[in-house]
């Protein structure tokens, strides 16, 4: 007897046709609602199963992280703080890892929180060579490379952040492909990585991007990257060169001037003063004024006084603060500040001028007392403000 063997899809087709012809007997409205209900049910089941799977994974990861803390924290801490440079085989033996040690993605993932926590606590005390070799033994760089190469954008972003948080070693070429990625977060994290660990033109992308925008968050992160490079003896950029790039990017120029101020590069003061003389942009001018004042560049006083009378109120306040920060004890500068205190119509500027005069050394204290005696009665509130212990918190510094 011959038998006809049905294909594996025939059964599904059979049940589908039964449902199809049963639905065909009902009015169109009922058909639509049945189909909508079926799709909704399938989606609800998928969401519930997905949430359950994520919950199970989260619990498993939490237990794995807790287990790693108990089993490896003390061993890894001892390796990282060991003054003597250890060989990879010694590190592997100290961690009691199997001979043919292999790690899957979930295993790596459970090591990440502990390694980040350890670097945050003991990063400055660590033996950097031992730390990097321990990460190599745990195959963390390979794991991060796989995460960066994955198709999931979120995984890429998290990988870049984790590399920075634990000072891991990731090949420069792996990150370079994302320097101009469409996703802004991925692009910024790739650029931060290149700036932090790069050896060949790490800041080149900032100079070549015409659409560069520095948010407040990115300013802080790039500054931290520069601090890291300085602390680890890596090459630092020529910030003053950034200000002369064409086409001019004001965001980058302001960032560069602020970094000159924060790193206290007095050798750039003369060129910054020349830029201030020719500057017409208020934000850039204010950054220059603040930097020159913070570095107490006395030759800038003459330009500050010349620029003061034609400046906006915002720029005037920066100029007054800068003159007070230089605090050269020049009687002409003090007289200039006194005159404007009496003449200005802006109460914020007047308050700032009086504080600068009050803090301008011995001659400033004398001028302050003289102004207090000679100023009109309506100015008394300014002097009360300066002398109030509750308002002037710098008295407790």
């Amino acid at each position: 007897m011959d038998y006809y063997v049905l294909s594996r899809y025939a059964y599904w087709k059979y049940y589908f046709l039964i449902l199809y012809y049963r639905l065909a007997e009902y009015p169109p409205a009922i058909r639509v609602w049945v189909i909508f209900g079926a799709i909704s049910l399938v989606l609800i089941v998928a969401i519930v199963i997905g949430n359950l799977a994520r919950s199970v994974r989260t619990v498993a990861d939490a237990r794995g992280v807790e287990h790693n803390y108990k089993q490896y924290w003390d061993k890894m801490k001892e390796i990282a703080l060991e003054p003597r440079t250890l060989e990879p085989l010694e590190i592997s033996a100290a961690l009691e890892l199997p001979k043919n040690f292999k790690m899957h993605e979930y295993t790596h993932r459970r090591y990440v929180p502990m390694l980040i926590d350890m670097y945050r606590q003991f990063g400055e005390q660590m033996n950097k060579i031992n730390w990097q070799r321990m990460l190599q033994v745990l195959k963390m760089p390979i794991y991060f490379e796989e995460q960066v190469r994955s198709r999931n954008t979120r995984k890429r972003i998290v990988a870049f952040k984790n590399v920075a948080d634990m000072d891991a070693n990731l090949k420069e070429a792996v990150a370079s492909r994302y320097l101009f990625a469409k996703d802004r977060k991925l692009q910024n994290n790739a650029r931060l990585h290149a700036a932090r660990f790069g050896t060949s033109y790490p800041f080149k992308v900032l100079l070549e991007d015409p659409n560069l925008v520095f948010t407040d968050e990115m300013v802080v992160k790039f500054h931290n990257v520069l601090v890291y490079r300085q602390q680890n003896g890596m090459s630092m950029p020529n910030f003053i060169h950034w200000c002369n790039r064409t086409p001019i990017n004001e965001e980058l120029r302001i960032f560069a001037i602020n970094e000159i101020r924060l790193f206290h590069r007095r050798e750039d003061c003369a060129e910054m003063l020349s830029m201030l003389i020719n500057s017409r942009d208020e934000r850039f001018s204010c950054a220059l004024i603040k930097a020159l004042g913070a570095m107490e560049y006395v030759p800038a006083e003459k330009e500050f006084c010349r620029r003061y009378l034609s400046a906006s109120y915002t720029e005037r306040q920066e100029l007054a603060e800068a003159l007070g920060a230089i605090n050269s004890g020049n009687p002409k500068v003090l007289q200039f500040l006194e005159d404007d205190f009496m003449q200005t119509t802006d109460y914020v500027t007047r308050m700032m001028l009086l504080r600068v005069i009050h803090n301008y050394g011995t001659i400033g204290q004398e001028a302050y007392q003289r102004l207090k005696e000679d100023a009109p009665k309506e100015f008394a509130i300014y002097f009360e403000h300066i002398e109030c212990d509750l308002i002037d918190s710098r008295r407790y510094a």
Side-chain angles (χ1 to χ4, degrees):
M1 182 181 290
D2 295 331
Y3 293 95
Y4 179 73
V5 180
L6 295 175
S7 69
R8 56 181 175 175
Y9 300 109
Y11 296 99
W12 294 103
K13 184 178 179 181
Y14 171 73
Y15 290 116
F16 174 77
L17 290 174
I18 289 176
L19 289 173
Y20 176 78
Y21 287 114
R22 284 286 178 89
L23 281 175
E25 298 173 0
Y26 293 96
I30 295 177
R31 284 185 238 163
V32 170
W33 279 108
V34 170
I35 293 170
F36 176 76
I39 294 172
S40 299
L41 182 62
V42 170
L43 289 174
I44 290 170
V45 171
I47 290 169
V48 170
I49 293 173
N51 286 337
L52 286 173
R54 279 190 289 272
S55 299
V56 170
R57 174 180 161 176
T58 302
V59 171
D61 283 349
R63 288 179 178 175
V65 170
E66 185 179 354
H67 172 266
N68 287 341
Y69 267 96
K70 291 179 180 178
Q71 185 170 354
Y72 293 108
W73 176 267
D74 293 333
K75 298 175 183 177
M76 289 184 175
K77 179 183 172 183
E78 186 178 347
I79 292 168
L81 299 179
E82 173 62 47
R84 182 176 64 89
T85 300
L86 302 175
E87 294 298 324
L89 290 176
E90 292 181 86
I91 295 173
S92 181
L95 294 175
E96 300 178 3
L97 297 174
K99 188 174 182 181
N100 297 321
F101 175 66
K102 292 183 180 180
M103 291 180 70
H104 302 284
E105 181 181 348
Y106 69 88
T107 318
H108 281 95
R109 192 170 61 242
R110 293 169 187 177
Y111 275 90
V112 169
M114 180 179 63
L115 292 170
I116 291 174
D117 191 18
M118 184 173 292
Y119 186 77
R120 285 176 178 170
Q121 289 188 41
F122 308 106
E124 295 181 359
Q125 309 164 35
M126 282 180 178
N127 183 326
K128 300 293 183 181
I129 298 175
N130 284 351
W131 176 253
Q132 293 297 336
R133 286 183 177 177
M134 184 169 67
L135 294 179
Q136 290 284 349
V137 167
L138 294 172
K139 300 182 180 179
M140 297 307 294
I142 298 173
Y143 164 71
F144 287 129
E145 285 181 24
E146 291 175 354
Q147 293 292 294
V148 169
R149 288 194 176 103
S150 71
R151 295 183 179 181
N152 190 320
T153 303
R154 183 178 175 277
K155 281 186 178 181
R156 294 171 182 170
I157 294 170
V158 171
F160 278 124
K161 289 180 178 179
N162 290 339
V163 166
D165 288 341
M166 71 172 70
D167 195 21
N169 188 12
L170 186 64
K171 293 178 182 176
E172 194 172 349
V174 176
S176 62
R177 69 181 69 183
Y178 303 111
L179 295 176
F180 290 94
K182 292 182 179 179
D183 187 277
R184 180 66 69 177
K185 286 185 178 180
L186 177 60
Q187 181 192 98
N188 287 338
N189 280 281
R191 291 180 177 185
L192 283 166
H193 180 274
R196 185 182 182 91
F197 299 104
T199 53
S200 56
Y201 307 108
F203 297 95
K204 185 179 179 181
V205 66
L206 299 182
L207 304 176
E208 294 182 348
D209 186 0
N211 301 317
L212 180 69
V213 176
F214 267 111
T215 62
D216 292 341
E217 180 186 8
M218 293 308 295
V219 166
V220 173
K221 288 184 176 180
F222 270 104
H223 173 69
N224 291 338
V225 164
L226 289 164
V227 171
Y228 173 86
R229 291 184 70 89
Q230 185 185 55
Q231 290 175 347
N232 288 273
M234 303 171 75
S235 61
M236 294 288 285
N238 183 357
F239 296 115
I240 205 71
H241 176 64
W242 290 8
C243 300
N244 298 322
R245 293 282 299 186
T246 53
I248 292 173
N249 186 318
E250 290 299 334
E251 296 282 343
L252 185 61
R253 294 178 84 198
I254 292 169
F255 174 75
I257 296 299
N258 288 334
E259 292 306 304
I260 291 172
R261 170 174 55 86
L262 293 169
F263 286 103
H264 211 74
R265 295 194 171 188
R266 287 186 58 85
E267 63 272 17
D268 294 328
C269 284
E271 192 163 351
M272 287 167 60
L273 179 58
S274 177
M275 288 181 182
L276 178 63
I277 294 171
N278 300 314
S279 176
R280 297 294 177 268
D281 181 77
E282 185 180 277
R283 288 181 63 217
F284 185 58
S285 298
C286 288
L288 287 166
I289 293 163
K290 189 174 183 179
L292 290 168
M295 290 186 284
E296 300 178 4
Y297 189 60
V298 177
E301 284 185 328
K302 185 177 179 181
E303 173 60 20
F304 287 175
C305 294
R306 185 198 68 79
R307 193 180 185 89
Y308 189 91
L309 297 177
S310 60
S312 65
Y313 281 120
T314 301
E315 197 170 324
R316 283 189 181 191
Q317 291 164 17
E318 288 290 350
L319 287 164
E321 289 278 13
L323 287 168
I326 293 173
N327 199 358
S328 64
N330 189 340
K332 292 182 179 179
V333 172
L334 182 61
Q335 186 60 50
F336 179 84
L337 296 172
E338 288 183 61
D339 292 343
D340 195 60
F341 171 77
M342 300 299 295
Q343 295 171 10
T344 187
T345 56
D346 182 64
Y347 68 93
V348 176
T349 306
R350 183 179 289 127
M351 186 73 256
M352 192 172 292
L353 286 165
L354 186 60
R355 182 178 288 111
V356 170
I357 292 168
H358 181 267
N359 297 325
Y360 204 77
T362 306
I363 60 172
Q365 290 287 335
E366 294 172 359
Y368 176 84
Q369 294 299 329
R370 187 169 59 253
L371 286 171
K372 186 176 181 180
E373 294 172 3
D374 299 341
K377 290 183 179 179
E378 58 267 23
F379 284 12
I381 186 67
Y382 298 105
F383 296 94
E384 292 174 8
H385 185 97
I386 294 292
E387 295 170 4
C388 180
D389 290 337
L390 295 176
I391 295 174
D392 193 355
S393 59
R394 283 177 294 182
R395 292 176 185 272
Y396 304 103

